[in-house]
Amino acid sequence: MSQDGPPPQGRRARRWLMLALGVNAHTSVTLGLFGLPLVMPDIERHFGVSLPVAGVIANAPGLGVMAALVLWGALADRHGERLVLGVGVGLAAVLLGAVALATPVWAVIALLALAGAAGSAAMVGGGRIVLRWFDPPERGVAMGVRQVSYTLGMAAGAFVLPPVARAHGLPGVLAVCAAAALVAAVLAAAFLGEPPRAVAASGAGAGGSPYRQAALWRVHATSALHTVPQIVLSTYGVTCLVRLYGWDGVDAGRLFGAAAIGGAVVRVAAGRWSDRTGLRMRPLLLLTLVSMAVLALLVAGTFTASPLGPAALAAAAVITVAGNGLAYLAAGELAGPGWAGRVLGTHNTLQNLVAFAVTPVAGVLITGSGFWGAFAAGLACAALSLPVIPVRGERRAGPATGKDGHAGEDGAAGKDGDAGEETGARL
């Protein structure tokens, strides 16, 4: 560990504060960018549209996210997280407030897309905080905590947004989302800082583009396939409970809130598992197999409309997001510090491209065959990811931790170009 900067204990405390600010920014903006599917029935009623169109409205922020993530990543690589999070999340707050005043469907979709473009800054900035402030043997837990931001945002949305929608309608929901994002932007702009020591330009990204490695493309592809069951569950899960099982919308939202909390715990545990084994991809492979088993139960339960359905739905909402942090971390480590923002932006862009494409298709599947058909499509994509996960050649982390619990920055890649010791096994 470098002797520059504050003492180890001070650095430890400060890095967790930086991570907390990044988590808070992503959690808060998640309400408006990804929480609207939790009030899908209210969107249908408010605009008088069909389920597939309501799905497009609810996921319209994904359009902007897809367009802006790589740009925010490049800006973060150049100017740091403080500027990116403060400006991006603050602008998202203003745009979400404007959506609350809009009435034409096209204007709502456009404003939500712009809000997604602005708020996507939080997705890139938070990941860079982990890579710049934490050493490799601790990044699994740190990235698990960072990835909890999405699940915490969805949990808060599940408990808060449906009751707000019932009391104040969709404009009230959007006002709450805007206020949360504004507070997070102010905190990030006021308190975020740079690491106390220069980060060496190490790793795959140091000598050129990290996209010369097949492993990075495979990590991207794995996450894209895993996005399918996640987006089907998050977009149509509440609607499934309401329509197929006759649940009250608020109770259905609470179930998904509890599932989101469970997903947060599992993500941190997966990160800890990853740090202890020194692997990223092998734990991701095992988590994928468990996800497939749970999704199979969900398909069977919803096909027969049996009581198995709600239980499997909750379990699937937890387990399908468990490996997100591992893939996200592997992509960032393969990128290296100089490319991390752009690569993480690309990683999330691909996920959001898939999410936006899957949303209407899943709505059509549900309308034509029932909810089980959309869940079966998610199961198929999880199965397709198995040969894509770059497990071959994966090695355990080599550097031993020092007395202060830190280690060197990088490991080497595997012999076949797949994930190396840091990149062995983020919605």
Side-chain angles (χ1 to χ4, degrees), residues 7-8 15 24 28 98 180 256 282 359 366:
R15 66 186 176 175
N24 181 58
S28 300
F256 271 82
R282 194 166 300 279
T359 297
I366 291 168

Side-chain angles (χ1 to χ4, degrees), residues 30 39 131 147-148 228 237 333 360 375:
T30 292
V39 292
L131 293 167
Q147 290 293 96
V148 160
V228 176
E333 288 179 330
F375 298 141

